[in-house]
Amino acid sequence: MKLEGVHHIAIICSDYGKSLTFYRDILGFEVVGEHYRAARDSYKTDLALNGQYVVELFSFPSPPPRVNGPEAAGLRHLAFRVADVKAAAEELERKGVPCEEVRTDPFTGREYTFFKDPDGLPLELYQA
């Protein structure tokens, strides 16, 4: 088997409207498909970044909260490549999204910072 790439990342949110606004209006994802599934009382929304399908945003009634600390096994965070980490972090801050201090990766020498989505999912900005 030869994997060709990552097809998408699925994210379950607790407040669909709040998360959709965050990913669409703050991070700049484009909605390429939005489907309400009555049998599950949930949405499945496909989001693209720069024309590439990347995220499936799911809503389910009363999902359990994410474990944030101590770190649990499983997906740790989702990282986005940006040309200028400091400028991107400043833009998020202006939009009301707090970011951690910009740091330098000791292995690559590239800058990065973390922030969180409305459900506390850790997201990262990483220098291209």
Side-chain angles (χ1 to χ4, degrees):
M1 171 179 64
K2 181 181 178 206
L3 299 178
E4 296 179 3
V6 174
H7 185 265
H8 69 270
I9 297 135
I11 298 172
I12 297 173
C13 62
S14 64
D15 182 324
Y16 178 70
K18 190 174 188 179
S19 290
L20 180 60
T21 297
F22 178 81
Y23 283 95
R24 183 191 59 213
D25 300 343
I26 293 177
L27 296 186
F29 280 85
E30 174 190 357
V31 174
V32 293
E34 183 177 45
H35 310 281
Y36 179 72
R37 303 173 308 170
R40 300 181 101 180
D41 189 22
S42 70
Y43 280 93
K44 176 201 176 285
T45 300
D46 301 327
L47 301 171
L49 190 57
N50 300 317
Q52 182 179 0
Y53 170 51
V54 177
V55 168
E56 274 183 343
L57 186 62
F58 287 97
S59 69
F60 292 106
S62 305
R66 173 182 168 80
V67 175
N68 284 326
E71 289 192 60
L75 180 66
R76 184 173 185 206
H77 64 266
L78 175 58
F80 300 106
R81 184 176 56 245
V82 295
D84 185 330
V85 172
K86 287 179 183 155
E90 289 171 0
E91 183 176 338
L92 285 174
E93 293 275 353
R94 284 193 302 275
K95 293 178 177 181
V97 179
C99 294
E100 293 181 3
E101 176 184 331
V102 173
R103 295 171 280 183
T104 301
D105 184 322
F107 302 109
T108 66
R110 294 176 188 239
E111 292 185 326
Y112 69 98
T113 189
F114 284 92
F115 61 104
K116 293 184 178 179
D117 85 347
D119 286 303
L121 176 67
L123 303 173
E124 180 182 12
L125 298 175
Y126 198 88
Q127 180 185 333

